[in-house]
């Protein structure tokens, strides 16, 4: 044996020694934890569904508004609520879980087993992704069946826009998990990112009513682009390439940042 | 060493910035041995263990663990080497049974979970959440996870810290049973009693270097210069009578008492030799040194002061 040449982070997603079944077990345990520590479920799923129901019950939200380009307030808020769910899961739940695993030494413990610690990160992504998809489908189905939202005219565009939005926001969430050195820092950075992004998504002032300068900024924020792409798909057009490219760009850039800077202990 | 070495470490060096954590550490561990890495905090024990587990890449030197290089063969290494680390917790809202089942699924030929929890006194805790466990129970679960893959080598870092004396003795018995099944055990500890009770050999680390490497008894003898016997003689005798014995090194008089230092079967040799001159030894006391004294002697520092505050 001679000199030891290089650092191996042991983060490969494909491991020849760890049994495949181990990944399924990791996913199952992450799902159990999501159920037993239901902050993500409550704030992501329940709050957005509740808001959808409240908005749906308000008669004034179902009147076409000229300043919204003829859409109803309810129509405008459905994609915004979808973005709210994705953003809470991606920017709050995901970093909270991963940062606590690093701080508590869960990742360190895994690093001395045949299973690479990256598997638990992947399992966490699978669980949060499933939660996002379930919530999103529930919101759209409830909006259509209970509150008369027109069936999205371009479902393919909506699915593409949703997947790209999830990818972009999860990449940002992973970068927060990479940057935060403590659980408190994770919550602060996550929350500090969430509110501005929700503002540009139109949470408090729909994009249709934004001044031109604010709208121009909104177009280049992940949730602004996401709402634009989803709303267009619902109204029947394929989402604009610019919005999809903005989402893809965030996914790629922040995916790279997370990969480059994620620390395992 | 006749038996093949399970672990070979040669001239290991690891620095963090300007801090030299481990400097020129060399030792080998035989298969089936319980080997102790002993020393105060900051001596480089954990860094040595982390290099041997492939968690850190050494700056210089070589490590071979059952023929594998830990820094490059991590995936293969962790199938045959189980580890119990400091500063590693588990998700609080998972149950003990779920954690054991999960970790069991990581290994190709795992141990029987029921047998393991029984041996570690966790059988009644399988449905308990991790966060509800006491410090001692968490520690025992951690030892269980180190053994669950049926490792050839188990590295246990401060495994009995936080355990009460009874739980500590139970854990020691478990470690001896595991070793009797042929598992090589590397024990990182600052508990003298633990090293004396369990270890076949001990590397005493101080400031990143190996201060001494020997059996616990050997280290004690090395540091104390052997044993010391005090007695009162029934009649005056010539010191040369004792000095000429191979076991004896020094003879001193302290009032009515005689103090003899040496090694081996010192008491027997003295009594037999004095008998030839018609002298009997009364009030014979054998002062034996323990590993703790050895540490102070070898490093000039007090282990308890620096070591217990983990």
């Amino acid at each position: 044996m001679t000199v030891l040449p290089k650092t191996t982070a042991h983060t490969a997603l494909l491991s020849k020694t760890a049994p495949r079944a181990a990944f399924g077990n990791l996913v199952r345990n992450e799902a159990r934890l999501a159920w037993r520590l239901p902050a993500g479920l409550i704030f992501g799923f329940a709050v957005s569904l509740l808001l959808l129901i409240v908005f749906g019950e308000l008669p004034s939200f179902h009147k076409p508004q000229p300043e919204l380009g003829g859409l109803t307030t309810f129509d405008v808020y459905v994609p915004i609520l979808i973005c709210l769910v994705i953003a809470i899961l991606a920017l709050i739940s995901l970093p909270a879980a991963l940062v606590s695993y690093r701080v508590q030494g869960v990742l360190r413990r895994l690093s001395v087993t045949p299973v690479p610690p990256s598997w638990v990160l992947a399992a966490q992504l699978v669980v949060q992704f499933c939660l996002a998809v379930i919530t999103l489908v529930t919101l759209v189905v409830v909006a259509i069946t209970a509150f008369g939202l027109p069936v999205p005219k371009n479902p393919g565009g909506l699915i593409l826009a949703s997947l790209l939005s999830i990818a972009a926001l999860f990449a940002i969430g992973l970068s927060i998990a990479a940057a935060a050195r403590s659980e408190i820092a994770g919550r602060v950075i996550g929350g500090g990112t969430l509110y501005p992004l929700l503002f540009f998504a139109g949470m408090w002032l729909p994009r249709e009513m934004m001044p031109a300068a604010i709208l121009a900024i909104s177009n280049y924020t992940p949730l602004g682009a996401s709402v634009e792409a989803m709303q267009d798909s619902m109204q029947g057009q394929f989402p604009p390439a610019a919005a999809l490219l903005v989402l893809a760009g965030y996914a790629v850039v922040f995916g790279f940042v997370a990969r480059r800077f994620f620390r395992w202990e | 060493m006749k038996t093949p070495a399970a672990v070979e470490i040669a001239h290991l060096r690891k620095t963090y910035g300007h801090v030299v954590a481990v400097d020129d550490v060399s030792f080998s561990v035989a298969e089936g041995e319980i080997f102790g890495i002993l020393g105060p905090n900051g001596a480089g024990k954990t860094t040595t263990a982390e290099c041997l587990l492939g968690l850190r890449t050494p700056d210089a030197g070589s490590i071979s663990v059952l023929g594998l290089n830990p820094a490059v063969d991590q995936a293969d290494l962790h199938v045959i080497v189980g580890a119990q680390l400091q500063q590693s917790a588990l998700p609080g809202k998972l149950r003990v049974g779920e954690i054991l089942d999960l970790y069991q699924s990581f290994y190709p030929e795992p141990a029987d979970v029921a047998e393991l929890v029984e041996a570690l006194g966790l059988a009644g805790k399988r449905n308990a959440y991790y966060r509800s466990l006491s410090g001692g129970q968490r520690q025992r679960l951690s030892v269980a996870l180190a053994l669950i893959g049926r490792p050839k080598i188990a590295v246990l870092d401060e495994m009995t810290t936080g355990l009460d004396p009874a739980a500590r003795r139970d854990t020691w018995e478990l470690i001896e049973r595991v070793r009797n099944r042929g598992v090589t055990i590397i024990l990182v500890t600052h508990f003298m009693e633990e090293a004396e009770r369990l270890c076949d050999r001990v590397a005493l680390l101080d400031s990143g270097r190996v201060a001494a490497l020997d059996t616990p008894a050997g280290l004690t003898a090395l540091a104390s210069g052997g044993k010391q016997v005090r007695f009162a003689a029934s009649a005056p005798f010539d010191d040369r009578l004792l000095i000429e014995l191979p076991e004896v090194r020094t003879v001193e008089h302290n009032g009515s008492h005689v103090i003899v230092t040496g090694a081996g079967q010192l008491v027997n040799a003295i009594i037999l030799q004095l008998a030839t001159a018609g002298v009997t030894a009364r009030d014979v006391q054998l002062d034996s040194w323990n590993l703790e004294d050895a540490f102070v002697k070898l490093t000039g520092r007090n282990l308890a002061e620096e070591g217990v505050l983990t």
Side-chain angles (χ1 to χ4, degrees):
Chain A
M1 313 256 334
T2 49
V3 212
L4 305 160
K6 57 181 176 181
T7 317
T8 49
H10 190 35
T11 55
L13 278 174
L14 286 174
S15 166
K16 60 182 179 346
T17 47
R20 289 286 167 274
F23 187 70
N25 286 335
L26 279 170
V27 172
R28 194 184 321 150
N29 273 326
E30 291 308 310
R32 277 183 182 134
L33 287 168
W35 182 250
R36 289 173 192 169
L37 298 163
L41 282 175
I42 291 168
F43 290 105
F45 186 86
V47 168
S48 59
L49 190 61
L50 196 71
L51 283 174
L52 184 86
I53 292 168
V54 169
F55 291 174
E57 293 293 343
L58 293 173
S60 65
F61 271 48
H62 291 285
K63 293 195 186 100
Q65 304 286 339
E67 69 267 33
L68 295 176
L71 296 175
T72 69
T73 309
F74 187 76
D75 294 338
V76 165
Y77 267 99
V78 170
I80 295 173
L81 292 179
I82 291 175
C83 282
L84 173 69
V85 176
I86 297 174
I88 286 175
L89 293 175
L91 305 179
I92 307 291
S93 300
L94 183 66
L98 294 178
V99 171
S100 76
Y101 288 174
R102 179 171 58 227
V103 171
Q104 292 167 12
V106 173
L107 299 179
R108 181 173 148 86
R109 183 68 194 76
L110 277 175
S111 64
V112 289
T113 71
V115 166
S118 54
W119 280 26
V120 79
L121 187 151
Q124 184 51 227
L125 284 174
V126 167
V127 169
Q128 301 294 352
F129 177 81
C130 291
L131 276 178
V133 170
I134 291 168
T135 314
L136 191 154
V137 169
T138 307
L139 288 179
V140 172
V141 168
V142 170
I144 292 169
T145 54
F147 302 111
L149 179 82
V151 175
K153 298 189 183 65
N154 195 330
L158 184 60
I159 291 170
L160 180 66
S162 304
L163 291 178
L164 278 176
S165 304
I166 291 174
L169 270 293
F170 277 26
I172 296 172
L174 287 176
S175 300
I176 292 171
R181 285 170 183 264
S182 70
E183 295 172 64
I184 290 172
R187 280 199 293 273
V188 169
I189 304 173
T193 314
L194 177 69
Y195 290 101
L197 290 189
L198 284 177
F199 170 79
F200 286 114
M203 189 77 203
W204 294 280
L205 181 72
R207 285 167 45 84
E208 288 77 359
M209 297 166 76
M210 281 179 187
I214 306 281
L215 186 65
I217 299 172
S218 168
N219 287 338
Y220 289 98
T221 67
L223 292 187
S226 175
V227 168
E228 183 187 9
M230 288 187 197
Q231 193 57 266
D232 280 7
S233 312
M234 290 184 170
Q235 302 312 319
Q237 303 141 36
F238 193 77
L244 296 180
L245 282 174
V246 167
L247 290 172
Y250 277 105
V252 170
V253 170
F254 281 93
F256 177 80
V257 168
R259 197 182 155 70
R260 173 71 182 75
F261 294 104
F262 199 86
R263 290 170 305 119
W264 298 95
E265 60 175 293
Chain B
M1 204 160 298
K2 300 287 186 291
T3 39
V7 175
E8 285 268 11
I9 294 185
H11 310 297
L12 178 68
R13 181 182 167 87
K14 177 73 189 171
T15 58
Y16 302 117
H18 294 296
V19 181
V20 182
V22 170
D23 192 12
D24 198 24
V25 164
S26 303
F27 59 81
S28 72
V29 180
E31 272 185 30
E33 191 173 26
I34 301 183
F35 187 87
I37 301 177
L38 189 70
N41 282 355
K45 304 185 304 274
T46 294
T47 298
T48 304
E50 285 175 342
C51 288
L52 137 72
L53 289 167
L55 295 178
R56 308 217 177 274
T57 305
D59 296 320
S62 69
I63 306 180
S64 167
V65 179
L66 296 169
L68 300 172
N69 177 349
V72 293
D73 306 318
Q74 285 186 49
D76 293 321
L77 183 80
H78 293 145
V79 176
I80 50 175
V81 178
Q84 188 253 323
L85 299 171
Q86 288 185 84
Q87 290 142 25
S88 68
L90 293 151
K93 278 286 215 171
L94 284 182
R95 297 179 202 278
V96 169
E98 291 166 353
I99 292 168
L100 287 163
D101 289 344
L102 176 67
Y103 275 69
Q104 189 191 38
S105 75
F106 293 170
Y107 296 92
E109 291 165 21
D112 183 52
V113 167
E115 200 181 303
L116 204 52
V117 293
E118 191 63 46
L120 280 154
L122 290 168
K125 287 285 168 189
R126 289 180 77 167
N127 284 322
Y129 283 131
Y130 179 75
R131 71 171 182 189
S132 75
L133 299 182
S134 69
Q137 289 163 343
R138 289 181 188 193
Q139 200 75 358
R140 277 181 276 154
L141 177 60
S142 182
V143 173
L145 294 181
L147 301 175
I148 204 164
R150 283 191 196 285
K152 291 194 167 68
I153 301 176
V155 179
L156 305 170
D157 193 353
E158 303 287 4
M159 65 165 183
T160 61
T161 301
L163 295 188
D164 61 51
R168 187 171 295 157
R169 276 190 295 274
D170 288 347
T171 310
W172 290 347
E173 274 170 28
L174 174 82
I175 296 307
E176 283 173 334
R177 283 205 300 278
V178 170
R179 188 266 291 274
N180 291 342
R181 280 189 241 144
V183 178
T184 305
I185 291 166
I186 296 177
L187 209 61
V188 177
T189 186
H190 64 259
F191 279 121
M192 292 296 145
E193 199 191 346
E194 184 164 292
E196 284 186 286
R197 157 78 195 265
L198 286 176
C199 295
D200 299 310
R201 286 186 310 137
V202 173
L204 187 63
L205 259 56
D206 182 46
S207 306
R209 290 176 167 273
V210 178
L213 177 69
D214 208 332
T215 61
L219 275 186
T220 305
L222 174 69
S224 65
K227 297 168 187 166
Q228 179 170 293
V229 176
R230 299 156 64 90
F231 61 91
S234 63
F237 64 93
D238 187 347
D239 285 359
R240 279 175 298 184
L241 192 65
L242 295 182
I243 294 279
E244 70 191 23
L245 287 172
E247 289 88 349
V248 171
R249 222 176 54 209
T250 63
V251 178
E252 279 174 53
H253 293 267
N254 182 4
S256 60
H257 279 83
V258 183
I259 300 166
V260 181
T261 64
Q265 297 297 315
L266 194 56
V267 176
N268 282 344
I270 291 169
I271 290 172
L272 290 173
Q273 186 75 347
L274 289 177
T276 63
V279 177
T280 48
R282 293 192 306 260
D283 302 339
V284 180
Q285 284 182 345
L286 176 66
D287 299 332
S288 60
W289 290 63
N290 62 23
L291 212 42
E292 185 119 23
D293 302 319
F295 179 82
V296 176
K297 188 91 168 190
L298 288 168
T299 66
R301 290 198 278 137
N302 193 333
L303 185 91
E305 272 169 23
E306 298 173 66
V308 170
L309 304 167
T310 302

